[in-house]
Amino acid sequence: MKKLAMLSITVVMLLVLAACGNNNSDNENGGATTEPTSSTAPTASPTASADPTEAPASNEPRTITYLGTEYTVPATAEKLVITGSVESLEDALLLDVKPAGALTIGGVFPEVFAPITGESEMVGEKSQPNMEAILKLKPDVILMSTKFPAETIEKMKEIGPTIPVSHIATDWEANLALLGELTGKQDKVQEVLAKYKTDAAALEEKIGPALKDKKVLAIRVRAGNLFIYPADVFFNPSLYEDLGATVPADVTAAKAQQQITLEKLSEMNPDYLFVQFAEDENKDTPKVFEELQANPIFQAINASKEGHVYTNIVDPLLQGGTAYSKISFLEAISALNLAGE
């Protein structure tokens, strides 16, 4: 009897030692315990499981508001197409958003957009979208220009969620915020806006005295002709709102892009003249600006006589009324050191 009791105690001790040995082995492999494999294994808590038949709430369509109009878009716009709206391409460049499809100018992606269009598909010229190419991409969201006719916009809506993006320069903040919201880059948008406003205020204080009582004008040369723009289009908001220059009467009167003659430019007689001249927009008249500068009428303008004609201080294809344009223009103006003249 005593031997049997001693045998029982020995067996119990061996079992305890074996159990301890298994636990030590698990701890040496990272402290994880082996999951039970029997049919009685515990199931996951209901609060931690997801119904595989239901998509997560984050993937559901959502409604956003842009310039007072509501649009239904996917939760994430991974496949973005930009057609017609150079403004949106500039915003994409600033936020490092790479569109699945993008507009072309002269059959190519402009070099200025190379950092974001390396893997993009061509979806037609700026003013002629290729509906078939866009349809093949199955875009999550299509950004197009408000310059397009209403019927073109309606046809685009049949392909996918479409948002006409404003070409009016004073909507630059809303345009940037739109792309930020679609791509989840709202923080970057706020950072960009805050920095620009700080830098613009500092530059206005610095060069304000140089521009006071001076006539300041920005023009674009297109197809061999001279054009001015309304106060809220092109680089005009940067000149007149951000930097404090006085708006010329002819700019105030302009309702859209307006062609002017050299004689009219002479009559306006700006003290500072900013010229944007893109070769792609003047293929039939590539030397028109050289000829203009050699014209005695142009040479008699105050800006010419004082050496204040500035040509392409930013990329000539930039629209002017975007965050990217405004930042680039601000940096270029600052580099001119107008306050030191």
Side-chain angles (χ1 to χ4, degrees):
M1 191 72 171
K2 184 180 296 185
K3 288 182 180 179
L4 182 61
M6 289 296 295
L7 179 61
S8 298
I9 291 172
T10 301
V11 169
V12 169
M13 289 181 66
L14 288 172
L15 289 174
V16 170
L17 289 172
C20 290
N22 286 337
N23 283 340
N24 286 340
S25 176
D26 285 338
N27 286 337
E28 287 171 2
N29 288 316
T33 57
T34 305
E35 292 293 332
T37 57
S38 71
S39 60
T40 58
T43 58
S45 168
T47 58
S49 65
D51 186 346
T53 64
E54 294 182 5
S58 60
N59 287 336
E60 295 179 0
R62 59 192 173 113
T63 299
I64 64 173
T65 301
Y66 166 67
L67 295 179
T69 300
E70 292 186 343
Y71 298 92
T72 300
V73 298
T76 55
E78 295 181 0
K79 272 193 173 182
L80 190 68
V81 163
I82 299 176
T83 175
S85 178
V86 182
E87 290 82 3
S88 294
L89 265 185
E90 289 191 31
D91 287 339
L93 183 61
L94 187 61
L95 298 181
D96 192 30
V97 172
K98 298 175 174 61
L103 62 92
T104 56
I105 297 178
V108 299
F109 294 129
E111 184 63 28
V112 66
F113 300 119
I116 60 169
T117 55
E119 299 180 2
S120 301
E121 296 291 334
M122 296 181 180
V123 294
E125 286 290 283
K126 180 173 69 171
S127 58
Q128 295 178 318
N130 186 326
M131 298 284 189
E132 185 177 350
I134 296 172
L135 180 62
K136 286 181 179 178
L137 286 174
K138 299 180 180 180
D140 295 321
V141 176
I142 303 167
L143 298 179
M144 62 188 308
S145 176
T146 49
K147 294 179 182 179
F148 281 120
E151 55 267 28
T152 303
I153 295 175
E154 289 305 312
K155 287 181 181 178
M156 199 67 72
K157 289 180 180 178
E158 296 176 6
I159 297 177
T162 300
I163 303 177
V165 178
S166 174
H167 66 283
I168 303 300
T170 49
D171 291 328
W172 69 283
E173 292 185 60
N175 289 351
L176 188 66
L178 168 65
L179 187 61
E181 185 166 6
L182 288 172
T183 59
K185 297 196 175 189
Q186 296 94 327
D187 291 344
K188 176 65 174 177
V189 169
Q190 294 306 313
E191 176 187 330
V192 167
L193 294 179
K195 185 177 186 307
Y196 177 79
K197 291 175 182 179
T198 299
D199 292 347
L203 185 58
E204 180 185 11
E205 183 177 351
K206 179 180 178 181
I207 71 172
L211 300 181
K212 185 178 181 181
D213 301 325
K214 299 292 184 180
K215 296 178 183 177
V216 182
L217 184 67
I219 65 172
R220 192 187 289 279
V221 181
R222 275 181 169 162
N225 298 306
L226 309 179
F227 293 92
I228 62 171
Y229 296 83
D232 60 354
V233 178
F234 196 38
F235 289 96
N236 289 343
S238 294
L239 289 172
Y240 306 130
E241 293 181 17
D242 299 343
L243 301 180
T246 302
V247 183
D250 290 286
V251 170
T252 300
K255 302 303 180 186
Q257 174 178 273
Q258 180 177 317
Q259 183 177 337
I260 62 171
T261 63
L262 176 56
E263 289 72 22
K264 180 61 178 179
L265 178 62
S266 176
E267 178 187 321
M268 296 175 70
N269 197 23
D271 299 297
Y272 291 87
L273 181 63
F274 296 92
V275 182
Q276 292 293 93
F277 174 84
E279 292 182 1
D280 287 343
E281 296 181 328
N282 295 275
K283 288 184 177 180
D284 295 331
T285 55
K287 296 187 177 182
V288 62
F289 190 60
E290 291 179 24
E291 296 168 356
L292 179 67
Q293 290 176 303
N295 191 302
I297 297 176
F298 186 85
Q299 291 176 349
I301 294 172
N302 283 345
S304 293
K305 292 189 294 185
E306 298 297 326
H308 292 161
V309 176
Y310 304 105
T311 307
N312 293 344
I313 64 171
V314 296
D315 190 288
L317 289 179
L318 297 188
Q319 299 300 286
T322 70
Y324 185 82
S325 285
K326 291 170 77 70
I327 291 170
S328 300
F329 193 67
L330 191 80
E331 292 174 348
I333 291 283
S334 180
L336 293 176
N337 193 28
L338 299 182
E341 294 182 351

